[in-house]
């Protein structure tokens, strides 16, 4: 599923552990929306700003996969998305702040 010009859902959900264990590592509707917001308001604008590819090496793990890899209960982004998914204004403000600290690509 294409999320934007440069990002797909598969980049976020790919997990070698999930593949090896036969686990479907798919986000639910609320989690997909949170990922979409992250792409729309931070990752795609950042990609366009820096003009280089951004590799997603660990974008989403369901609880079972996270437990198997020894992941923490919630990461900073995961916690932020979970707590603010209904109030995306916070996420948007944070993304705008993060974008402001990266220089635009030179033409």
């Amino acid at each position: 599923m294409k999320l934007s010009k440069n990002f797909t859902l598969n980049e976020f959900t790919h997990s070698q552990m999930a593949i090896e264990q036969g686990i479907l590592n798919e986000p639910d509707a609320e989690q997909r929306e949170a990922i979409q917001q992250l792409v729309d308001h931070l990752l795609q604008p950042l990609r366009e700003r820096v003009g280089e590819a951004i590799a997603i090496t660990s974008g989403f793990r369901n609880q079972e996969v996270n437990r198997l890899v020894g992941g923490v209960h919630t990461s900073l982004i995961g916690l932020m998305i979970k707590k603010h998914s209904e109030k995306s204004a916070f996420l948007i403000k944070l993304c705008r702040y993060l974008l402001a600290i990266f220089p635009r690509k030179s033409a």
Side-chain angles (χ1 to χ4, degrees):
M1 175 182 165
K2 196 158 181 76
L3 299 173
S4 72
K5 179 180 174 184
N6 300 104
F7 295 97
T8 65
L9 185 59
N10 187 56
E11 290 178 275
F12 287 85
T13 61
H14 178 79
S15 165
Q16 193 59 40
M17 177 65 74
I19 293 167
E20 290 171 4
Q21 298 297 317
I23 299 168
L24 184 61
N25 186 44
E26 292 292 327
D28 62 25
E30 183 179 10
Q31 292 163 330
R32 273 194 308 273
E33 178 59 27
I35 292 168
Q36 187 67 60
Q37 291 291 319
L38 185 65
V39 169
D40 290 349
H41 296 288
L42 178 63
L43 297 176
Q44 187 60 44
L46 184 59
R47 166 67 170 86
E48 291 169 6
R49 182 170 289 230
V50 299
E52 295 180 19
I54 297 172
I56 307 300
T57 58
S58 180
F60 172 82
R61 293 184 200 136
N62 66 24
Q63 289 181 345
E64 186 176 3
V65 173
N66 195 51
R67 180 183 56 77
L68 288 170
V69 300
V72 294
H73 180 63
T74 54
S75 67
L76 176 62
I77 295 294
L79 180 61
M80 178 187 66
I81 288 171
K82 185 175 181 181
K83 286 191 171 186
H84 299 285
S85 61
E86 294 167 347
K87 298 176 184 176
S88 61
F90 174 81
L91 178 60
I92 292 168
K93 284 180 186 178
L94 177 62
C95 293
R96 286 182 181 152
Y97 168 78
L98 292 172
L99 284 170
I101 65 175
F102 285 91
R104 293 190 185 274
K105 72 175 185 175
S106 42

